[in-house]
Amino acid sequence: MKTKEEKRDSWIAMGLLAGFYVLLLVVEMVVPPTHMLFSILKKSAVYSLAAVSMNLLNGFTGLFSLGQAGFMLMGAYTYAILTMPVELKMGDSVYKYYDCIVHFQTGMIPGLLMAGLVAALMAALIGIPVLRLKSDYLGIATLGFAEIIRAMFQWDALGPLTNGANILSGFIDLNHVYFPFTQVKIPPTFFVFLLSGGCIAVIVLLINSSYGRAFKAIRDDETAAEAMGINLFHYKELSFVISSFFAGISGALLAMYQFTVKAAPFKTSMTYEILLIVVIGGIGSITGSCIGSFLFIACNEWWLRFLDDASNNILGLNILRSGFRKVVFSVVIMVIVLFFSRGLMGDREFSVKRIRKRWEKLRRRGKDAAKGGGEA
């Protein structure tokens, strides 16, 4: 039973969240769509979902998996193939060297659901052998799976399905998203935040349910969890499948954001980037993953971009040049890891309750200081 303060905090949080979405919608309608801000926000939202899905597995269940890029690749390809118009599949504009074997087209929502389901099905199949491994061995096995999937999707024998090593284009992207039963376009950034936010909300509800408590029990102590009657393999498999489902959806969103799909970019470096976001934000923190995602994307692709411009050199020091921002970005990451060993949020969440308690603590300190000064 929630107390009056908890209910009030919940309403405030929902009001702030609704206000944020309204503000985002207004800004997207006023500011030119070519502004760099929207590109950063969209990619940050996509990576937030990918990071939260990885955090569900690594942070809340304690399973060290490195297969995120593989599941995102499957989601991206599934979405692109299913939502691409039939005339593009049958013509020579996309499948130039192959005869596409998928002779139908689905809508955006079925495509997104199928992207998640295909990734989840693959996770269920490979989870049977690999989830019996632990720690680094599990990470190596899932990393190998991701690399195998990437190589297979570029294999010529699968060309009639994946178009081989060539790109897929012409599917439903963020510029062709409409409100249901209308011809009114949904602003792209608003849509990505709406879908990513909805998926993250489902993950939060799952973590706060009895399933989430079982995941945390496995993370904290497998032996104790098993002694309590928790079926270890069942819950590990469940966490792995759910994480992969949302990774598949994030891959589909990434395809919509990029307008094209190709297997080559879904390398291990993509998984490492997502893992780094999780570590920066805090392993075991949902809001930490979201904050870490925005900071990572903004620093890497926007805020530090001026460091690549040699014309910004001052005092005759020829330090700034192409690629220098990567050096500075690496130093920033090292500083964060050194001084925030548990990430920016640790295992805590950014919430109204936390802000209220901090504010009350500061008020008490202020009153105590004022009282002490008066007595003196």
Side-chain angles (χ1 to χ4, degrees):
M1 190 81 179
K2 285 186 176 181
T3 63
K4 183 179 285 188
E5 285 186 343
E6 289 176 337
K7 289 181 179 178
R8 184 185 63 188
D9 290 344
S10 298
W11 281 108
I12 292 173
M14 287 189 287
L16 291 173
L17 191 61
F20 169 77
Y21 275 96
V22 171
L23 177 63
L24 179 64
L25 186 60
V26 171
V27 169
E28 195 166 13
M29 294 173 66
V30 173
V31 179
T34 54
H35 197 283
M36 187 67 178
L37 173 65
F38 297 123
S39 177
I40 297 301
L41 287 176
K42 283 182 283 192
K43 192 170 183 179
S44 298
V46 173
Y47 269 65
S48 291
L49 178 56
V52 170
S53 67
M54 188 179 220
N55 213 346
L56 172 65
L57 197 60
N58 291 25
F60 290 96
T61 316
L63 299 176
F64 184 55
S65 171
L66 294 174
Q68 207 72 356
F71 295 117
M72 291 177 68
L73 181 150
M74 296 190 70
Y77 267 83
T78 300
Y79 176 82
I81 293 168
L82 292 180
T83 61
M84 189 186 303
V86 177
E87 56 269 21
L88 292 181
K89 299 174 185 177
M90 299 299 105
D92 294 330
S93 57
V94 177
Y95 283 83
K96 295 181 180 179
Y97 309 107
Y98 308 96
D99 294 325
C100 184
I101 60 175
V102 180
H103 297 170
F104 61 91
Q105 177 189 5
T106 66
M108 180 193 65
I109 298 301
L112 287 168
L113 288 174
M114 285 302 299
L117 289 174
V118 169
L121 177 61
M122 181 57 68
L125 293 176
I126 71 165
I128 296 173
V130 303
L131 289 179
R132 303 188 187 280
L133 303 172
K134 294 183 179 180
S135 188
D136 299 342
Y137 299 103
L138 175 60
I140 293 170
T142 50
L143 182 64
F145 153 76
E147 284 299 294
I148 291 170
I149 287 294
R150 185 169 66 89
M152 286 184 62
F153 271 63
Q154 298 177 91
W155 187 26
D156 287 341
L158 288 179
L161 180 64
T162 65
N163 203 23
N166 306 300
I167 65 170
L168 291 177
S169 60
F171 49 85
I172 301 175
D173 54 46
L174 290 178
N175 289 334
H176 298 87
V177 178
Y178 301 90
F179 285 101
F181 311 110
T182 68
Q183 291 300 315
V184 180
K185 282 189 176 181
I186 302 177
T189 308
F190 179 78
F191 171 77
V192 175
F193 268 78
L194 193 64
L195 186 58
S196 296
C199 291
I200 291 172
V202 173
I203 294 175
V204 171
L205 292 174
L206 176 69
I207 291 171
N208 292 325
S209 69
S210 59
Y211 292 99
R213 289 190 288 273
F215 296 157
K216 294 174 186 176
I218 294 172
R219 175 197 63 188
D220 295 337
D221 192 327
E222 287 192 10
T223 304
E226 191 172 23
M228 292 168 59
I230 295 176
N231 187 326
L232 297 183
F233 178 77
H234 171 75
Y235 282 98
K236 285 181 180 180
E237 176 86 349
L238 184 63
S239 176
F240 194 49
V241 168
I242 294 173
S243 172
S244 302
F245 174 81
F246 289 109
I249 292 180
S250 68
L253 280 174
L254 186 62
M256 297 177 73
Y257 163 75
Q258 294 178 335
F259 302 104
T260 60
V261 175
K262 193 174 182 180
F266 291 87
K267 299 182 288 191
T268 54
S269 58
M270 180 180 286
T271 296
Y272 294 151
E273 286 180 351
I274 297 169
L275 180 61
L276 185 59
I277 289 171
V278 173
V279 172
I280 290 173
I283 297 177
S285 173
I286 300 296
T287 51
S289 295
C290 297
I291 295 170
S293 175
F294 176 78
L295 292 177
F296 179 87
I297 300 298
C299 286
N300 191 34
E301 301 189 8
W302 188 14
W303 293 341
L304 300 180
R305 188 177 289 269
F306 72 95
L307 296 173
D308 285 349
D309 189 354
S311 63
N312 291 326
N313 283 298
I314 58 175
L315 302 177
L317 299 175
N318 295 322
I319 297 176
L320 303 185
R321 62 192 65 191
S322 179
F324 186 69
R325 67 187 168 104
K326 294 290 185 179
V327 177
V328 176
F329 184 60
S330 300
V331 173
V332 171
I333 291 172
M334 289 175 62
V335 170
I336 293 175
V337 172
L338 286 172
F339 291 94
F340 297 91
S341 58
R342 300 183 62 194
L344 297 176
M345 296 296 296
D347 58 355
R348 302 181 300 274
E349 300 293 351
F350 186 80
S351 63
V352 174
K353 180 180 179 180
R354 184 175 175 79
I355 296 173
R356 176 172 54 79
K357 286 187 175 182
R358 182 61 61 88
W359 173 249
E360 290 175 354
K361 189 175 181 179
L362 291 173
R363 283 180 59 189
R364 284 196 300 269
R365 285 183 179 178
K367 288 181 180 179
D368 292 341
K371 186 177 179 181
E375 290 178 353

